[in-house]
C-alpha cells in the first residue's frame, strides 16, 4: 500500500526512496533550519536574552511580531511537509506546497519593513518615534540599555530615572540609537533577503516533486472510462455463455471401486468350489491345521 502512495504508514526502507523524495526531504529540512533560527532569535528578543534586546523590543516591536509570525508559519509548513514525505501522502504534500506561499509573503514582509525603515530617513523616523510613539517607560528602557539620557540631550524629552536627570553627564540617545538601528535593521533585511532565493527553490522543489514521492503513477486508481459496471459484467457473461454452447461437453467419469474379480489378486488362491478347497487343505495337513513337512 505504501508503494501506491496511499499514505497509510511510514516507509522505513530508505533504499526504496525515489530521487524526488530525497529532494523533498532536503527541502523540508532547510525550511526547518531557517524557521527554527528565526523563532529562536525572536524568543531571545522577547525574553531579553541578548544585549540591547530591550532596544529592539521598543523601537522595532512591529518587526519583532512579523519575525515571530513568519517563523511560526515556517515551522507549521515544515510539520506538514515532513508528515507528507514520511507518510507518502500526496494531499499533505499539496498542502505543504500551498503553505510555502504564505511563508514567502511573511518573509518578504519582514525584509521589506526592515529595509524601508533603514534606508529612508531613519534619523527622522527615530525622532518622530521618540517624540510621539515611545511611552515614558519605553524611553526609560532605551536610556538604561544604551546608557544615555534624552534624545538630543538630558534636557530633551528625557524619561527621569536614577541615572537620567536634567544635569546628568550622559549623552543623548540619538547617536547610539541611530547606530544600533542601522546595524540591527541591516542584519534583519540582509538575512531575510538572502533566504528568499532558497525559499523560492523550496517552492519549485515542492511543486515538481510532490507528485513523485513514490513510483506509483497518479493515485493508483483505474481511469473512469476503463472501470467495469454491472451491465458490462452481464454482457461479458452472456457472450461467454454463447461461446460455450458450441463446445462439446466433456463426460464426467463415474466413481471407481476395487474389482471383485480375482484375476488381479495374486496374493490369494482362488478355487472353483468348496470341495476343491477342502481337498487341497486336507492333502496338505495332518490335522489341527498342522502342515506336513
Amino acid at each position: 500500500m505504501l508503494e501506491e502512495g496511499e499514505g497509510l504508514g511510514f516507509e522505513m526502507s530508505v533504499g526504496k526512496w525515489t530521487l524526488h523524495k530525497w529532494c523533498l526531504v532536503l527541502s523540508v529540512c532547510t525550511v526547518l533550519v531557517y524557521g527554527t533560527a528565526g523563532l529562536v532569535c525572536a524568543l531571545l528578543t522577547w525574553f531579553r536574552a541578548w544585549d540591547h534586546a530591550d532596544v529592539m523590543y521598543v523601537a522595532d516591536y512591529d518587526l519583532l511580531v512579523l519575525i515571530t509570525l513568519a517563523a511560526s508559519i515556517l515551522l507549521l509548513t515544515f510539520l506538514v511537509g515532513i508528515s507528507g514525505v514520511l507518510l507518502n501522502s500526496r494531499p499533505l504534500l499539496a498542502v505543504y506546497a500551498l503553505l510555502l506561499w504564505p511563508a514567502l509573503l511573511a518573509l518578504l514582509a519582514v525584509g521589506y519593513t526592515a529595509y524601508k525603515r533603514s534606508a529612508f530617513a531613519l534619523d527622522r523616523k527615530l525622532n518622530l518615534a521618540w517624540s510621539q510613539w515611545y511611552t515614558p517607560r519605553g524611553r526609560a528602557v532605551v536610556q538604561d540599555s544604551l546608557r544615555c539620557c534624552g534624545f538630543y540631550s538630558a534636557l530633551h524629552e528625557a524619561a527621569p530615572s536614577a541615572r537620567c536627570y536634567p544635569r546628568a553627564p550622559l549623552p543623548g540617545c540619538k547617536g547610539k540609537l541611530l547606530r544600533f538601528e542601522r546595524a540591527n535593521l541591516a542584519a534583519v533585511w540582509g538575512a531575510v533577503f538572502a533566504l528568499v532565493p532558497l525559499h523560492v527553490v523550496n517552492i519549485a522543489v515542492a511543486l515538481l516533486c510532490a507528485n513523485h514521492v513514490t513510483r506509483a503513477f497518479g493515485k493508483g486508481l483505474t481511469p473512469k472510462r476503463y472501470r467495469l459496471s454491472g451491465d458490462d459484467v452481464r454482457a461479458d457473461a452472456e457472450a461467454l455463455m454463447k461461446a460455450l454452447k458450441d463446445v462439446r461437453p466433456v463426460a464426467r467419469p463415474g466413481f471407481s471401486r476395487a474389482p471383485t474379480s480375482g484375476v488381479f489378486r495374486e496374493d490369494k488362491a482362488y478355487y472353483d468350489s468348496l470341495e476343491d478347497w477342502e481337498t487341497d487343505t486336507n492333502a496338505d495337513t495332518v490335522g489341527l491345521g498342522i502342515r506336513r513337512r
Side-chain angles (χ1 to χ4, degrees):
M1 295 298 291
L2 289 176
E3 289 296 330
E4 296 178 1
E6 296 294 335
L8 297 179
F10 289 95
E11 185 177 351
M12 301 304 295
S13 181
V14 179
K16 296 181 180 179
W17 287 9
T18 62
L19 178 62
H20 301 87
K21 187 168 184 176
W22 279 111
C23 294
L24 279 172
V25 170
L26 295 177
S27 175
V28 171
C29 288
T30 58
V31 174
L32 171 65
V33 169
Y34 57 81
T36 303
L39 186 61
V40 168
C41 293
L43 291 177
L44 291 177
T45 306
W46 285 111
F47 290 102
R48 320 292 203 277
W50 56 281
D51 194 19
H52 302 322
D54 296 335
V55 180
M56 183 176 181
Y57 179 82
V58 174
D60 302 314
Y61 182 82
D62 56 342
L63 191 60
L64 184 58
V65 172
L66 288 177
I67 294 174
T68 307
L69 180 62
S72 301
I73 295 176
L74 287 171
L75 290 182
L76 175 62
T77 305
F78 160 76
L79 291 177
V80 175
I82 197 65
S83 300
V85 171
L86 295 180
L87 296 176
N88 293 334
S89 176
R90 294 176 182 177
L92 281 179
L93 290 175
V95 176
Y96 163 73
L98 185 63
L99 286 176
L100 286 173
W101 292 99
L104 176 62
L105 294 179
L107 288 174
L108 292 176
V110 173
Y112 174 74
T113 303
Y115 178 78
K116 182 179 179 181
R117 185 171 301 173
S118 173
F120 301 104
L122 178 60
D123 54 345
R124 297 180 183 179
K125 293 176 183 177
L126 292 177
N127 192 356
L128 178 64
W130 187 278
S131 302
Q132 299 184 11
W133 297 345
Y134 296 170
T135 62
R137 175 61 181 169
R139 295 173 189 170
V141 168
V142 174
Q143 291 174 168
D144 293 340
S145 180
L146 297 179
R147 287 182 171 81
C148 56
C149 184
F151 189 71
Y152 290 105
S153 64
L155 298 176
H156 184 263
E157 296 182 351
S161 64
R163 295 181 179 180
C164 184
Y165 47 90
R167 295 182 178 273
L170 296 175
C173 296
K174 179 181 178 180
K176 292 184 177 182
L177 182 60
L178 181 60
R179 288 190 293 272
F180 171 80
E181 281 292 283
R182 281 178 178 171
N184 186 52
L185 293 174
V188 171
W189 67 257
V192 171
F193 286 154
L195 289 176
V196 168
L198 177 60
H199 194 79
V200 172
V201 171
N202 288 334
I203 293 176
V205 170
L207 293 176
L208 294 175
C209 301
N211 204 33
H212 303 282
V213 68
T214 59
R215 292 181 174 87
F217 178 77
K219 295 183 178 180
L221 300 177
T222 305
K224 187 176 181 180
R225 59 181 299 181
Y226 297 109
R227 297 176 189 174
L228 291 177
S229 62
D231 298 334
D232 297 331
V233 174
R234 284 190 291 271
D236 292 341
E238 293 175 358
L240 183 61
M241 294 302 295
K242 291 179 180 179
L244 291 177
K245 287 181 179 180
D246 300 332
V247 179
R248 182 179 179 181
V250 179
R252 182 178 179 181
F255 294 101
S256 62
R257 59 183 179 180
T260 58
S261 174
V263 177
F264 300 101
R265 303 299 297 272
E266 299 178 357
D267 57 335
K268 293 183 180 181
Y270 290 89
Y271 302 92
D272 295 334
S273 63
L274 181 62
E275 289 78 6
D276 296 339
W277 177 79
E278 291 177 351
T279 302
D280 183 68
T281 303
N282 295 331
D284 197 30
T285 61
V286 295
L288 299 178
I290 299 175
R291 292 182 177 275
R292 295 178 181 179
R293 294 181 179 178

